[in-house]
Amino acid sequence: MKSLIKKNQPKAQASCCAPATDIKVAQCCAKQSKVVAGCHD
Amino acid sequence: MQLSKHNILTQIHGDDRWLLVNVLSGQADILPANDGARLARGEITDPDALAAKGYLVFADEEARRYRQAYLDFIAARDTDEVQLFYVPSYACNFGCSYCYQDEYAPAPSGDGAAVLDAFFRYVDDTFGDRAKYVTLFGGEPLLPNPSTRRTVESVVRETAARGVDLAIVTNGYWLESYVETLRKGRIREVQVTLDGPQPIHDARRMLKGGGGTFSRVVDGIDACLAAGLPVNLRSVLDRDNVAAFAELAHFAIDRGWTDNPNFKTQIGRNYELHHCQTERSRLYSRLELFQDIQRLIEADPEILRFHKPAFSISRFLFEHGELPPPLFDSCPACKTEWAFDYTGKIYSCTATVGKQDEVLGTFWPERQLNAADVAAWEERDVLAIAQCAGCSSQLACGGGCGSVAKNTCGRIDAADCRPVPSLLSLGTSIYGREALAAS
């Protein structure tokens, strides 16, 4: 397995022990999908 | 332990290796051919490595992480920026071959100034404490008649006075004549459409009654960029014009647009929205379109200087070295998007605005909102859509478009699926070349 993840982030195994907020949910994904018109596609 | 419900495993296009992605755990890996094939059969070859990355999980622990990620998504969306579309008219000077609004029967206009004033009062009262921006939409919002110019000047002035950005979706024909007006405002971007080089574009996006539009649109783009106004160039693609996409890309490159930081692009798929098109055979499915675009890029990588398709989350992965956060809902309607028109009506989004059976309420002459209809849009996400429950791609897809789902299935809470594994396969073949060469 060759990881494609370059940024440091909590491993899934660790996150089950750590506070759930370790999994950061930002808005970039939603924003990435938001365009001025045509988001319906 | 068991394999995660959110593992997306796909063989990389043109390669014998596999891509394994898990949006919930935030992990993505390239697997050797044999390992990928075995995992595809459900065989677990290296449980420790898979468990360390959340590909192999305890079901209850994964369910906890899923719930928390959902709560975080909802909380973040509640503070996300809202896009408020305003349609000053459904009139348009173009007769595009694929117009989905051509069967609309616009109501006669009344007191446009009073309705616009009511719109901004509604925005102040309803979205006063939300981050937001306004988008002028149509029809064509930049027609040359005096009343339209007065409306645009008002919108530019009122948005700027509130410190709110303004975007404009225009066909671009009269754009150059509006640049000085727009420069007075807080213009986030001007979206203009070119469907190809001149002969292709003019055959698809012609004036009503005939006549080419390409040169005027190009002049409008040049004028915007010269004035420092951001331009978002959209190309609506189907089988009739996709082959000319490379030529359009080189036109933009040669004109210097792609070197301008204020220039960006997007692809719009020509698709069935509200009624039958005359030539359905020219329409692509999402996958077919991006299969052909991938082929075009392989043949001419310079296209990427003009446009970098997302291929689901693959561009994000290779550009950022991480995955985007879980997407529990890709439909912004009634959450981070609303649409309003000059008749005083309220709609959920750009796909529904102007459709009489999609009216959710009014902001003029009186305010009224159908709470049950709004709730149906608000509640749509991958947890509410039954088909999403067992889908490993749900957190990359987000359930798709509610309007398309309603048109296809008759219900908002139905899935409009994105072909995520196939798009990831295609995207990795384009954006993952360096990683593939090194592994």
Side-chain angles (χ1 to χ4, degrees):
Chain A
M1 269 200 312
K2 175 182 168 46
S3 178
L4 297 170
I5 303 301
K6 304 276 195 297
K7 306 263 173 86
N8 291 328
Q9 61 175 41
K11 292 244 183 352
Q13 281 294 77
S15 68
C16 66
C17 310
T21 49
D22 276 357
I23 302 171
K24 304 290 186 196
V25 178
Q27 284 297 290
C28 53
C29 188
K31 281 177 179 165
Q32 188 192 29
S33 67
K34 183 156 64 176
V35 292
V36 161
C39 59
H40 39 280
D41 192 30
Chain B
M1 297 185 89
Q2 64 187 44
L3 288 170
S4 167
K5 292 195 294 187
H6 302 285
N7 288 346
I8 306 172
L9 180 66
T10 182
Q11 190 161 19
I12 297 165
H13 178 81
D15 202 290
D16 62 358
R17 286 166 289 182
W18 296 67
L19 177 70
L20 177 59
V21 169
N22 188 307
V23 179
L24 187 60
S25 70
Q27 296 291 343
D29 286 86
I30 295 172
L31 304 187
N34 190 46
D35 289 2
R38 291 184 66 180
L39 190 59
R41 295 194 296 269
E43 298 174 23
I44 298 168
T45 54
D46 189 349
D48 290 344
L50 291 171
K53 295 189 173 187
Y55 299 129
L56 193 63
V57 296
F58 291 109
D60 56 349
E61 183 274 324
E62 180 166 72
R64 276 197 300 277
R65 282 193 290 118
Y66 183 88
R67 279 195 297 274
Q68 186 58 53
Y70 180 66
L71 294 174
D72 291 346
F73 175 84
I74 297 298
R77 191 178 61 190
D78 284 347
T79 59
D80 193 13
E81 192 175 43
V82 180
Q83 185 175 20
L84 305 168
F85 286 87
Y86 186 74
V87 176
S89 166
Y90 293 104
C92 184
N93 53 335
F94 277 26
C96 301
S97 59
Y98 50 82
C99 183
Y100 68 91
Q101 292 184 338
D102 60 350
E103 291 183 348
Y104 288 16
S109 57
D111 186 345
V115 179
L116 186 60
D117 184 54
F119 165 71
F120 278 109
R121 276 188 276 114
Y122 188 87
V123 170
D124 291 342
D125 294 344
T126 309
F127 302 100
D129 56 355
R130 284 291 298 266
K132 57 189 168 292
Y133 68 107
V134 171
T135 298
L136 263 181
F137 195 66
E140 168 51 38
L142 303 185
L143 291 173
N145 54 297
S147 67
T148 300
R149 288 192 184 276
R150 282 195 298 274
T151 298
V152 175
E153 286 164 5
S154 294
V155 172
V156 167
R157 186 173 59 248
E158 294 298 324
T159 48
R162 288 164 173 78
V164 170
D165 282 359
L166 174 64
I168 297 103
V169 180
T170 173
N171 62 33
Y173 194 81
W174 292 99
L175 176 56
E176 187 175 9
S177 72
Y178 271 96
V179 165
E180 283 309 307
T181 299
L182 300 182
R183 286 181 72 174
K184 297 172 188 164
R186 293 169 55 106
I187 304 302
R188 177 169 298 195
E189 69 178 39
V190 180
Q191 182 187 296
V192 194
T193 300
L194 282 177
D195 275 2
Q198 182 152 15
I200 303 285
H201 174 90
D202 284 348
R204 295 164 60 89
R205 297 182 62 82
M206 67 292 281
L207 289 170
K208 277 180 177 156
T213 62
F214 181 88
S215 298
R216 293 284 296 254
V217 178
V218 168
D219 290 345
I221 294 170
D222 283 339
C224 281
L225 293 176
L229 299 175
V231 171
N232 187 349
L233 178 60
R234 178 175 171 91
S235 294
V236 179
L237 299 182
D238 56 39
R239 295 181 200 280
D240 286 352
N241 69 337
V242 73
F245 189 60
E247 194 178 335
L248 178 64
H250 285 282
F251 177 87
I253 292 167
D254 295 343
R255 208 163 178 95
W257 291 346
T258 54
D259 294 327
N260 190 317
N262 278 329
F263 180 78
K264 64 179 179 179
T265 55
Q266 61 168 302
I267 288 175
R269 181 172 62 97
N270 187 11
Y271 66 107
E272 190 75 19
L273 188 55
H274 299 317
H275 60 271
C276 290
Q277 303 214 19
T278 50
E279 295 175 58
R280 284 196 68 162
S281 61
R282 71 179 179 177
L283 302 182
Y284 275 121
S285 70
R286 283 196 181 94
L287 180 56
E288 290 167 340
L289 171 61
F290 286 99
Q291 283 171 331
D292 274 359
I293 289 175
Q294 191 271 351
R295 286 187 202 107
L296 291 173
I297 292 171
E298 273 198 340
D300 183 359
E302 286 279 289
I303 291 172
L304 293 174
R305 290 178 61 192
F306 175 67
H307 182 74
K308 291 183 176 175
F311 290 114
S312 182
I313 53 176
S314 55
R315 187 187 70 198
F316 188 101
L317 167 63
F318 288 102
E319 285 187 347
H320 294 84
E322 63 180 345
L323 291 176
L327 182 64
F328 287 86
D329 176 29
S330 55
C331 172
C334 293
K335 299 143 185 162
T336 56
E337 182 173 327
W338 293 84
F340 307 82
D341 75 8
Y342 69 98
T343 68
K345 296 187 179 69
I346 302 173
Y347 306 84
S348 60
C349 69
T350 55
T352 57
V353 69
K355 287 189 74 185
Q356 292 312 302
D357 57 350
E358 295 282 6
V359 175
L360 298 176
T362 58
F363 63 93
W364 179 91
E366 55 192 31
R367 292 184 184 181
Q368 175 267 329
L369 207 54
N370 186 326
D373 288 348
V374 171
W377 288 100
E378 286 178 329
E379 290 164 7
R380 185 184 190 275
D381 60 27
V382 297
L383 279 78
I385 301 169
Q387 300 105 301
C388 296
C391 177
S392 62
S393 297
Q394 60 166 266
L395 297 182
C397 168
C401 166
S403 180
V404 170
K406 189 176 178 184
N407 287 327
T408 308
C409 306
R411 301 195 341 261
I412 295 171
D413 61 345
D416 167 41
C417 304
R418 271 87 204 250
V420 173
S422 299
L423 292 173
L424 286 174
S425 170
L426 294 168
T428 302
S429 76
I430 296 292
Y431 302 124
R433 282 181 179 153
E434 198 175 313
L436 289 166
S439 71

